[in-house]
């Protein structure tokens, strides 16, 4: 399989590495269809998009008609045997507006039907980050539309693959209430995989063990470090600003701030009745991932994290998206306590 190239930073192209188990999962799907829809969730920047884009390449080589759409990053890839389908998508996306991408997202289901109707027998529809584009409240409806392709196809087919990926903890909840999808987590890279990526970065860099300890294997954060000249404060500061952590912490009561301190040490401490609301807010801000399933590799896309690895902010049931997300919260808490001691 041809390995795709990815941009870790504007001036740094890398080869797709690792994720062998995740790619093998796609091969399994190519033999027996996905049922129901597979919804993949995981930390922001853990590598969902990279894997899915590599999967487009794999599926094309396996003889599939593939459509991949990512309205947030504004990428669409089509490998389809029906020119009309590509033309219709191109027409809608000719106008490069948010509305056009939302329209294209909904149109995708129709286009997949057209492919099946036209007699294509191996079809893969991959949507990435569409829920934040169409609105989280519509996530479940969209998944139901994808399921309809498998359950009520306009014509016979051999294999249909339907996959959606999301970094939004909330969309996962919305979808989880129905039985239209299997929710499958994907975690940051394993230490070996991360090493292969790290080795592709030229020049002076943080020692590997330190990069691992700070990123927890998250390739996006590794890229941020590279861009920031390996300055930790810059990268943490960016997370603090993007997620508006100052405002979030200022909105908490003294008691809640204590709970948050506990969660910095062990995210599972949030699992009590009183602390649940705080946990929900951390999920909403995409700082924390909750309800992490057992570390049975069958339930995961690629390698699961350790059952517990508090050094990286991973508890048994809850985990910080990366150690740096936790660090961002920790730094603001400390600042807060200094300026208004308890
Ligand atoms: N398997 C991989 N091999 C090489 N680079 C990767 C890999 N996975 C992710 N990356 C890099 O990390 C960045 C963030 O990954 P991405 O797939 O966008 O994360 P997500 O979609 O989960 O938010 C990508 O732009 C890419 O540069
Ligand atoms: Mg993505």
């Amino acid at each position: 399989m041809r390995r795709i190239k990815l941009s870790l930073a504007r001036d740094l192209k890398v080869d797709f590495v690792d994720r062998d188990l995740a790619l093998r999962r796609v091969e399994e799907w190519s033999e027996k269809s996905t049922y129901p829809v597979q919804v993949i969730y995981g930390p922001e920047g853990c590598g969902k998009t990279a894997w899915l884009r590599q999967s487009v390449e794999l599926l094309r080589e396996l003889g599939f008609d593939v459509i991949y759409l990512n309205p947030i990053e504004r990428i669409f890839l089509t490998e389809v045997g029906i020119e009309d389908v590509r033309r219709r998508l191109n027409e809608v996306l000719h106008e490069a507006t948010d509305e056009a991408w939302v329209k294209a997202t909904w149109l995708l289901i129709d286009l997949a039907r057209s492919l099946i109707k036209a007699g294509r027998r191996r079809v893969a529809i991959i949507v990435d980050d569409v829920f934040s584009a169409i609105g989280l409240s519509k996530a479940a409806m969209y998944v139901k539309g994808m399921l309809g392709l498998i359950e009520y196809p306009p014509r016979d087919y051999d294999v249909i693959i339907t996959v959606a990926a999301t970094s939004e903890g909330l969309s996962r909840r919305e979808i989880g209430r129905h039985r239209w999808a299997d929710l499958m987590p994907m975690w940051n890279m394993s230490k070996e995989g991360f090493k292969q990526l790290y080795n592709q970065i030229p020049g002076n860099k943080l020692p590997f063990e330190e990069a691992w300890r700070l990123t927890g294997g998250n390739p996006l954060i590794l890229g941020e470090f590279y861009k920031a000249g390996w300055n930790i404060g810059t990268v943490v500061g960016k997370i603090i600003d993007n997620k508006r952590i100052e405002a979030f912490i200022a909105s908490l009561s003294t008691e809640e701030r204590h709970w948050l301190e506990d969660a910095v040490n062990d995210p599972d401490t949030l699992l009590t009745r009183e602390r649940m609301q705080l946990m929900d807010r951390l999920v909403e801000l995409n700082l924390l991932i909750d309800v992490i399933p057992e570390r049975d590799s069958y339930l995961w896309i690629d390698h699961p994290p350790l059952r517990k690895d508090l050094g990286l902010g991973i508890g048994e049931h809850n985990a910080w998206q990366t150690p740096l997300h936790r660090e961002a919260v920790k730094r603001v808490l400390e600042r807060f306590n200094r300026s208004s001691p308890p």
Side-chain angles (χ1 to χ4, degrees), residues 235-255:
V235 182
V236 175
K238 207 162 152 187
I239 297 182
I240 292 174
D241 291 347
N242 287 347
K243 307 248 174 224
R244 305 185 65 239
I245 295 178
E246 298 267 8
F248 164 62
I249 288 180
S251 77
L252 300 177
S253 68
T254 313
E255 191 177 40

Side-chain angles (χ1 to χ4, degrees), residues 48-315:
K48 298 176 293 299
T49 296
W51 162 62
L52 290 174
R53 288 178 57 192
Q54 182 65 61
S55 299
V56 170
E57 187 64 27
L58 174 63
L59 287 166
R60 187 183 62 81
E61 288 176 20
L62 292 170
F64 275 77
D65 278 26
V66 192
I67 308 181
Y68 168 95
L69 191 85
N70 184 330
I72 300 296
E73 295 195 35
R74 301 206 161 182
I75 311 171
F76 81 93
L77 306 165
T78 49
E79 295 288 349
V80 291
I82 310 287
E83 189 47 44
D84 183 50
V85 166
R86 199 193 323 255
R87 190 183 49 75
R88 281 170 67 195
L89 203 51
N90 268 315
E91 258 168 28
V92 172
L93 290 176
H94 178 67
E95 232 182 293
T97 58
D98 289 349
E99 295 76 47
W101 280 92
V102 171
K103 204 166 149 196
T105 304
W106 287 105
L107 177 69
L108 208 62
I109 310 249
D110 285 345
L111 294 180
R113 294 185 80 80
S114 317
L115 284 173
I116 301 165
K117 215 186 257 171
R120 311 303 294 180
R121 299 195 65 91
R122 288 157 79 77
V123 173
I125 301 300
I126 302 176
V127 293
D128 197 356
D129 273 333
V130 294
F131 305 136
S132 31
I134 61 173
L136 295 185
S137 60
K138 305 207 176 71
M141 278 315 294
Y142 193 85
V143 169
K144 192 177 181 207
M146 291 177 90
L147 182 65
L149 289 171
I150 314 173
E151 287 191 321
Y152 310 106
R155 192 171 165 179
D156 263 3
Y157 62 84
D158 293 332
V159 178
I160 294 186
I161 294 179
T162 49
V163 183
T166 180
S167 296
E168 298 287 341
L170 287 186
S171 63
R172 183 186 139 207
R173 280 199 192 162
E174 170 74 18
I175 293 160
R177 290 196 269 124
H178 307 276
R179 300 174 138 252
W180 302 328
D182 277 345
L183 283 157
M184 298 268 276
M186 178 174 197
W187 201 248
N188 297 316
M189 299 178 89
S190 68
K191 204 166 179 180
E192 287 91 289
F194 186 68
K195 182 98 200 238
Q196 292 175 41
L197 181 59
Y198 171 89
N199 284 342
Q200 295 188 57
I201 301 182
N204 282 336
K205 47 193 174 185
L206 276 183
F208 176 71
E209 286 299 329
E210 201 173 334
W212 169 255
R213 190 177 57 76
L214 288 166
T215 63
N218 184 290
L220 181 75
I221 303 273
L222 182 68
E224 294 294 322
F225 267 119
Y226 168 79
K227 284 188 255 181
W230 306 98
N231 185 315
I232 300 173
T234 308
V235 182
V236 175
K238 207 162 152 187
I239 297 182
I240 292 174
D241 291 347
N242 287 347
K243 307 248 174 224
R244 305 185 65 239
I245 295 178
E246 298 267 8
F248 164 62
I249 288 180
S251 77
L252 300 177
S253 68
T254 313
E255 191 177 40
E256 286 170 322
R257 283 202 304 279
H258 286 312
W259 295 342
L260 191 55
E261 269 161 19
D262 290 344
V264 162
N265 295 320
D266 179 351
D268 283 342
T269 54
L270 291 165
L271 282 167
T272 66
R273 199 170 66 87
E274 318 83 79
R275 300 184 187 198
M276 208 61 78
Q277 211 179 348
L278 178 61
M279 182 172 96
D280 286 350
R281 289 187 68 189
L282 292 166
V283 170
E284 224 170 287
L285 288 168
N286 291 328
L287 290 167
L288 191 94
I289 299 208
D290 66 338
V291 210
I292 304 181
E294 271 175 57
R295 310 315 196 245
D296 171 351
S297 58
Y298 183 74
L299 300 173
W300 290 75
I301 297 291
D302 215 68
H303 296 285
L306 292 178
R307 194 174 61 82
K308 207 168 173 97
D309 191 341
L310 292 181
L312 296 183
I314 299 167

Side-chain angles (χ1 to χ4, degrees), residues 6-8 14-17 19 43-50 73 189 197 219-220:
L6 295 155
S7 299
L8 197 58
V14 292
D15 291 322
F16 180 88
V17 288
R19 298 298 192 188
E44 287 172 311
C46 74
K48 298 176 293 299
T49 296
E73 295 195 35
M189 299 178 89
L197 181 59
L220 181 75

